[in-house]
Amino acid sequence: MPESPSREQILEAAQRLFAAQGFSATTIKQIGRAARVNTALLYYYFDDKERLYRAVLQRLMSGLVSRTLVPLESDAPPAVRMRGFIEAQVHTFMANPELPRLFMREMLDHGVAHAVDQIQHLAATSFKGLCDTIREGQRQGTFRTDIQPEFAAISSVAQVVYFFLARPAVRVLLGKEISTATVEAFARHVADFTLAALTSGIDVAPKPRPRRRS
Amino acid sequence: MPESPSREQILEAAQRLFAAQGFSATTIKQIGRAARVNTALLYYYFDDKERLYRAVLQRLMSGLVSRTLVPLESDAPPAVRMRGFIEAQVHTFMANPELPRLFMREMLDHGVAHAVDQIQHLAATSFKGLCDTIREGQRQGTFRTDIQPEFAAISSVAQVVYFFLARPAVRVLLGKEISTATVEAFARHVADFTLAALTSGIDVAPKPRPRRRS
DNA sequence: GTCTATAGGCTGATAGAC
DNA sequence: GTCTATCAGCCTATAGAC
């Protein structure tokens, strides 16, 4: 697959614009201008606007899996792996703010029709790893067993994704600018909050003894 | 303010279409057709497409506050109020699926520029009520004090909103259709999960005694 | 309040020279 | 691979009859 520089410029510009404005609001001319490339050239590399959009989406989504999977595959205790996953997710989004935006837009606009393959891959790797980690914690007795692993996994992801997307609203709600420090503080909060939920009611002493009712 | 039936039909059709397709992808002709109203009539009631959009957004958002505020204002214990809020939120979204969609679209497309007033109102009522409820639980000793109330409030909201928006992706992740029963199960999960996080490490016995280290 | 007709601009996409 | 020129269609919005 020859990686021509023009093709790459087009993909990058399209990614930025589609994420910022959405598919319909972004014009071919805008992409051409942003990519410093003649408009007609887009049709040399891509059949039409929609296929360009799909190429952008798939390129972006394929990177997500690889980066969030690593911490889940370590042999650390489940709680540590959970923290690692949440951190990896936050850092991936900070380094690539277009990812959550484009993903959400695809959900709203097309019901993930253009990303079914990538999500199935996600279901079989990162999401499965997350659920398995929770299940392992439950088997070990460090996580509550009355929580559905799949739901807990969704709760964990939801907090992070939502915070990145809702930044403008959160700015108004908190009445202050959302600095990088705030993002990182919220990332720690999500890890603490999620692990608190999973370990709630579990005796955390090294050698747990059954507690007696008074 | 005379509530003409045509005007109302236009607002309802616009709400459905803007929520489903977004502002740019929705045409004035589509709205006219869906509202069974002549296209030119839209310009009799609204100055232009954007002002129609703003009218839709504000009409929809104003309803949100009133419905989620009620459970927060009861004199029940904080944990009960939290559950009530989460339930109210879920039922509001189930009865009105366009609300979370349109709100998210506004965040993505315009950084909530068209809804700043409504969000400030939200910040002063529902969101403040939620934070105050958490703070009260912390003062009473039933909620952990090492959690920031504002962050916990966002976590709680995030889980619910995200689940409604991510339904197509969740369908693929879970490998099954998302029935009403699944939505309600997830709603209970969010309440359990959130309260587990808030009460984690807190002694839940009726008359808590300091626990002795072995 | 509701309709017809239409202006004027922009959009995605193509043909064809180089 | 890159460019110019261009088209056909759709879009928002308006003018004006009824």
Side-chain angles (χ1 to χ4, degrees):
Chain A
M1 199 183 288
E3 280 300 326
S4 123
S6 291
R7 195 187 138 94
E8 200 62 22
Q9 279 166 31
I10 293 167
L11 281 168
E12 274 166 27
Q15 177 173 309
R16 258 181 296 135
L17 287 164
F18 283 145
Q21 308 177 335
F23 179 79
S24 292
T26 302
T27 70
I28 292 285
K29 293 207 174 179
Q30 283 179 331
I31 298 173
R33 207 187 318 138
R36 296 168 191 282
V37 142
N38 190 289
T39 306
L41 197 59
L42 302 202
Y43 291 94
Y44 174 78
Y45 287 110
F46 303 95
D47 288 350
D48 54 21
K49 192 185 168 187
E50 199 191 308
R51 275 177 221 245
L52 167 58
Y53 169 76
R54 260 186 274 176
V56 167
L57 192 67
Q58 288 168 17
R59 200 177 70 122
L60 199 56
M61 290 279 297
S62 61
L64 176 63
V65 175
S66 54
R67 271 170 291 192
T68 52
L69 194 55
V70 179
L72 290 174
E73 284 177 331
S74 88
D75 55 356
V80 175
R81 269 183 276 163
M82 286 289 295
R83 277 188 189 277
F85 172 82
I86 291 166
E87 264 173 43
Q89 214 190 343
V90 169
H91 288 140
T92 302
F93 289 170
M94 280 178 81
N96 212 333
E98 285 131 14
L99 182 48
R101 294 180 67 87
L102 214 61
F103 179 58
M104 179 55 76
R105 285 192 184 281
E106 171 62 17
M107 291 202 286
L108 292 174
D109 290 343
H110 314 107
V112 300
H114 296 135
V116 182
D117 292 348
Q118 284 85 347
I119 293 177
Q120 276 171 344
H121 183 210
L122 215 68
T125 54
S126 289
F127 187 73
K128 183 180 182 302
L130 195 54
C131 293
D132 286 347
T133 299
I134 295 167
R135 263 187 284 268
E136 192 185 318
Q138 290 177 328
R139 238 181 288 118
Q140 290 182 359
T142 46
F143 289 172
R144 298 173 69 122
T145 53
D146 62 345
I147 289 181
Q148 274 207 294
E150 291 82 7
F151 282 176
I154 293 170
S155 283
S156 152
V157 172
Q159 293 174 70
V160 174
V161 177
Y162 187 80
F163 186 79
F164 274 88
L165 299 177
R167 256 170 96 147
V170 170
R171 215 189 65 232
V172 178
L173 286 177
L174 299 186
K176 65 167 187 181
E177 288 302 315
I178 312 297
S179 63
T180 310
T182 309
V183 177
E184 283 169 351
F186 189 80
R188 282 193 298 277
H189 157 81
V190 172
D192 291 345
F193 193 84
T194 303
L195 282 168
L198 286 168
T199 60
S200 179
I202 304 265
D203 203 330
V204 288
K207 283 175 187 175
R209 279 189 306 162
R211 194 141 50 89
R212 233 174 279 160
R213 285 229 166 266
S214 53
Chain B
M1 198 183 287
E3 281 299 327
S4 122
S6 291
R7 194 187 139 93
E8 201 60 22
Q9 279 165 30
I10 292 167
L11 281 169
E12 273 165 29
Q15 177 172 310
R16 258 182 294 137
L17 287 165
F18 282 145
Q21 308 177 335
F23 179 80
S24 292
T26 301
T27 70
I28 292 285
K29 292 204 175 181
Q30 283 179 332
I31 298 173
R33 208 187 317 138
R36 295 170 192 282
V37 145
N38 190 289
T39 306
L41 197 59
L42 303 202
Y43 291 94
Y44 174 78
Y45 287 110
F46 304 94
D47 288 349
D48 55 20
K49 191 186 168 188
E50 200 191 307
R51 275 176 221 245
L52 167 58
Y53 169 77
R54 260 186 274 176
V56 167
L57 192 68
Q58 288 168 17
R59 201 176 69 121
L60 199 56
M61 290 278 298
S62 62
L64 176 63
V65 174
S66 54
R67 270 170 292 192
T68 52
L69 194 56
V70 180
L72 290 174
E73 284 178 332
S74 88
D75 55 355
V80 175
R81 269 184 277 165
M82 285 289 294
R83 277 189 190 277
F85 172 81
I86 292 166
E87 264 173 44
Q89 213 190 345
V90 169
H91 288 140
T92 303
F93 289 170
M94 279 177 81
N96 213 333
E98 285 131 15
L99 181 49
R101 294 179 67 86
L102 214 60
F103 179 57
M104 179 55 75
R105 285 193 185 280
E106 171 62 16
M107 292 202 286
L108 292 174
D109 290 344
H110 315 108
V112 301
H114 296 135
V116 182
D117 292 348
Q118 284 86 348
I119 293 178
Q120 277 172 342
H121 183 211
L122 216 67
T125 54
S126 289
F127 186 74
K128 183 179 182 302
L130 195 54
C131 293
D132 286 346
T133 299
I134 295 167
R135 263 187 283 269
E136 192 184 318
Q138 290 177 327
R139 239 180 290 119
Q140 289 182 1
T142 46
F143 289 172
R144 299 174 67 122
T145 53
D146 62 345
I147 289 181
Q148 274 206 293
E150 291 81 8
F151 282 177
I154 294 170
S155 284
S156 152
V157 172
Q159 292 174 70
V160 175
V161 177
Y162 186 80
F163 186 79
F164 274 88
L165 300 177
R167 255 170 97 148
V170 170
R171 215 189 65 232
V172 177
L173 285 177
L174 299 185
K176 66 167 187 181
E177 288 303 315
I178 313 297
S179 63
T180 310
T182 308
V183 176
E184 283 169 350
F186 189 80
R188 281 193 299 276
H189 158 81
V190 172
D192 291 344
F193 193 85
T194 303
L195 283 167
L198 285 168
T199 60
S200 179
I202 304 266
D203 202 329
V204 287
K207 283 175 186 172
R209 279 187 306 162
R211 195 139 50 91
R212 232 173 280 160
R213 287 228 164 266
S214 56

